[in-house]
Amino acid sequence: MGPSGPGGPVMSREEVDRALARLDAEHEAVETSLLALQDHAGRRLLEGARLTGTTARRWAATEQLVNSLWASFDAYARTLRAAHELRDRRRWPSRDDLGELTGLLRGTLTVPGMSVPGDGAGDGSRPYDRGAEAPEEEARGRPRLAEELTLSQLVERMNGSYARALDVVAAADSVWSALPARIDLLNAELRRVRSLAQSVGVRPGEHPSADDLDRITDELTALRAEVLSDPLAFWTADGGSAAPGGGRAETARYDRAARALEEVRREIDAVLSVRQDAEQRLISLRDVLSRADRTLAEARAARGEVLAKIAASEVPVVSGPPTALHEQLNTAADYRRRAQWHRLSPLLESLERRAEDELERARASLSAVTAPLAVRAELRGRLDAYRAKVAQHGMAEDGLLSERYDTARRMLWSAPCDLRAAEDAVLRYQQAAQALLVPPQSGPAHADRGGNC
């Protein structure tokens, strides 16, 4: 059904043009929002997930809301397109044209009624309220199959419906972005603690801490499955915020599991400190050497990157992993298995000192290798900072500045980058910018800024 007459005065040509411009802007804003909602990562996850409970109910209602929202947007776009076609017929519209345009722009059009996501206040839904204009059925949560709305009212309703849909999508995405990753990290820590427990003979049925580990494992497994299938059950909305997705993920169960695991870890540490001080020191040694190996590997990879991206730069060679230390660490582990404590003690002391030295050497090697990249990053930052400062003063289009900026930027963002030449280019741009921002008092000196920087 087309728009009906507004029952008011006929709009002038200027009023029609202003109304069309405003409605065009609103059309673009609504379309952008709808497309962003369509591409939202949370929406894609909701569509592909096997949902249960609160999330299944609210997402089903939200999908209906989004479909109604697109239908309303299509009706809005058709009416606006018809108004543009009528307005474009002639430069000076007739009174009949203006009357028809007034009907399109100020009259009402029939659009589908819009459902409200959520199944009551208990799940955090916020029913849409159009105030005094809302029909009695909709105010009680029973929307009509169709409604008569002006274009302005339709935009207001679409904005409210978009906010409600985004609220569901953003809340689910926030829970999925927060809790599963934290549960996975806690599971990784749980596996580490379990491995330590087994290494000192703490096993289920023989020690309470091992039984606690089994209970924590079951709880984290169940919690992760529930979070993935019903994320909104773990969402607490912020009652004081009207922003979509305003609230926080509920972490009470996760926090209880984390505290229980921490208690078990302290129990295992107590056993280790009493029965296996040597083993703990061996674990620490392996960790230090592992970090040294990873740091050296990172330095070797960075060296290749520097050689490819930085020209005429002296990049130090990175040594290989400390093979001799790893062999002596294996010897120390063998001493512990054979209970040869008199041999193990001095070897551990020597290994601890040398392992820390090896880690420091690896870190120093990484710093030395990546130094050219840090210099390039600093030059880029300095160039962009001066560019922004010049732009604030309205001088970004200065010919000399633009030329020097382009030269410096080309050097800094090309590979391989000649740092010395790039630094000179940045300095020339910086000096030219300073000359513009703080011009010299004397005329001759000002005239020389382009040649003697």
Side-chain angles (χ1 to χ4, degrees):
M1 181 183 298
S4 61
V10 175
M11 300 172 68
S12 66
R13 180 175 63 91
E14 292 78 8
E15 289 175 328
V16 167
D17 290 342
R18 286 196 298 269
L20 285 174
R22 174 178 56 81
L23 293 171
D24 283 340
E26 291 173 344
H27 174 276
E28 182 179 357
V30 172
E31 183 179 38
T32 300
S33 298
L34 289 177
L35 293 176
L37 179 63
Q38 194 73 13
D39 292 336
H40 198 289
R43 185 199 62 81
R44 294 196 295 268
L45 290 173
L46 283 166
E47 285 188 340
R50 294 183 178 180
L51 303 175
T52 60
T54 300
T55 306
R57 293 191 298 273
R58 294 194 65 188
W59 176 239
T62 299
E63 284 188 303
Q64 295 177 6
L65 178 67
V66 172
N67 291 335
S68 299
L69 186 54
W70 276 108
S72 297
F73 178 73
D74 289 341
Y76 178 91
R78 285 195 303 270
T79 303
L80 184 58
R81 188 163 52 250
H84 271 291
E85 291 173 356
L86 178 59
R87 176 63 184 89
D88 293 340
R89 288 178 187 174
R90 49 181 67 89
R91 181 177 179 183
W92 301 99
S94 66
R95 182 163 182 81
D96 290 341
D97 290 341
L98 291 175
E100 190 174 349
L101 283 167
T102 301
L104 287 170
L105 299 179
R106 289 184 176 174
T108 61
L109 65 158
T110 304
V111 295
M114 196 164 290
S115 58
V116 176
D119 56 356
D123 66 2
S125 62
R126 295 197 297 268
Y128 175 61
D129 182 10
R130 289 199 296 119
E133 297 178 358
E136 183 180 354
E137 293 86 355
E138 185 170 328
R140 292 198 300 264
R142 297 193 300 274
R144 290 179 173 177
L145 295 178
E147 293 182 80
E148 295 289 332
L149 299 173
T150 65
L151 290 180
S152 297
Q153 290 171 337
L154 184 56
V155 168
E156 182 182 355
R157 194 184 75 166
M158 286 191 296
N159 287 336
S161 300
Y162 166 76
R164 291 194 301 278
L166 182 60
D167 187 49
V168 172
V169 171
D173 187 49
S174 296
V175 173
W176 277 332
S177 298
L179 271 177
R182 295 176 67 180
I183 293 171
D184 290 342
L185 289 174
L186 195 60
N187 269 320
E189 175 66 8
L190 176 62
R191 290 191 293 271
R192 187 188 73 83
V193 173
R194 186 184 295 278
S195 177
L196 288 177
Q198 292 173 350
S199 72
V200 295
V202 176
R203 295 179 175 83
E206 300 177 4
H207 196 286
S209 293
D211 297 332
D212 290 340
L213 288 176
D214 285 345
R215 284 192 291 271
I216 296 170
T217 299
D218 294 341
E219 168 63 6
L220 290 179
T221 300
L223 178 61
R224 194 179 195 282
E226 292 175 30
V227 167
L228 292 178
S229 66
D230 192 7
L232 294 182
F234 297 86
W235 182 253
T236 300
D238 185 357
S241 173
R248 60 180 178 82
E250 177 56 57
T251 62
R253 287 176 60 184
Y254 167 86
D255 293 337
R256 285 195 296 271
R259 288 192 297 269
L261 181 58
E262 177 63 19
E263 292 176 1
V264 173
R265 187 192 64 79
R266 286 197 294 266
E267 289 287 337
I268 301 303
D269 286 346
V271 176
L272 285 168
S273 65
V274 172
R275 297 175 54 186
Q276 295 191 3
D277 177 69
E279 174 64 9
Q280 190 64 37
R281 294 171 69 183
L282 285 172
I283 291 173
S284 299
L285 268 173
R286 292 190 185 97
D287 179 65
V288 171
L289 289 179
S290 176
R291 282 186 285 161
D293 290 345
R294 291 196 300 270
T295 304
L296 288 174
E298 185 179 352
R300 285 191 291 273
R303 186 175 189 272
E305 180 183 1
V306 171
L307 290 174
K309 294 183 177 181
I310 306 299
S313 179
E314 296 181 0
V315 185
V317 177
V318 181
S319 63
T323 305
L325 288 181
H326 284 286
E327 292 176 352
Q328 291 183 359
L329 183 59
N330 292 334
T331 301
D334 185 63
Y335 285 163
R336 179 196 167 276
R337 283 192 298 271
R338 298 181 182 184
Q340 295 179 343
W341 311 115
H342 64 289
R343 294 184 177 180
L344 179 60
S345 180
L347 180 57
L348 277 179
E349 292 178 0
S350 172
L351 281 174
E352 286 167 346
R353 291 193 302 270
R354 294 167 62 191
E356 289 293 340
D357 292 341
E358 181 64 25
L359 179 58
E360 290 301 320
R361 184 182 66 83
R363 289 170 173 169
S365 180
L366 177 61
S367 298
V369 165
T370 57
L373 294 178
V375 171
R376 186 186 64 176
E378 189 276 332
L379 289 173
R380 287 177 174 180
R382 192 196 313 172
L383 179 67
D384 288 342
Y386 266 89
R387 175 71 168 179
K389 189 174 183 180
V390 168
Q392 288 178 352
H393 289 78
M395 302 176 182
E397 301 303 323
D398 181 84
L400 177 62
L401 281 181
S402 297
E403 178 185 350
R404 292 190 178 182
Y405 175 83
D406 291 340
T407 300
R409 196 180 195 287
R410 186 168 56 252
M411 290 182 178
L412 286 172
W413 269 268
S414 63
C417 171
D418 189 334
L419 284 180
R420 294 185 179 88
E423 185 174 12
D424 290 341
V426 171
L427 181 59
R428 287 194 296 272
Y429 177 78
Q430 180 179 337
Q431 290 171 335
Q434 289 174 338
L436 274 181
L437 296 173
V438 186
Q441 298 299 320
S442 59
H446 179 70
D448 192 43
R449 72 174 180 89
N452 296 319
C453 290

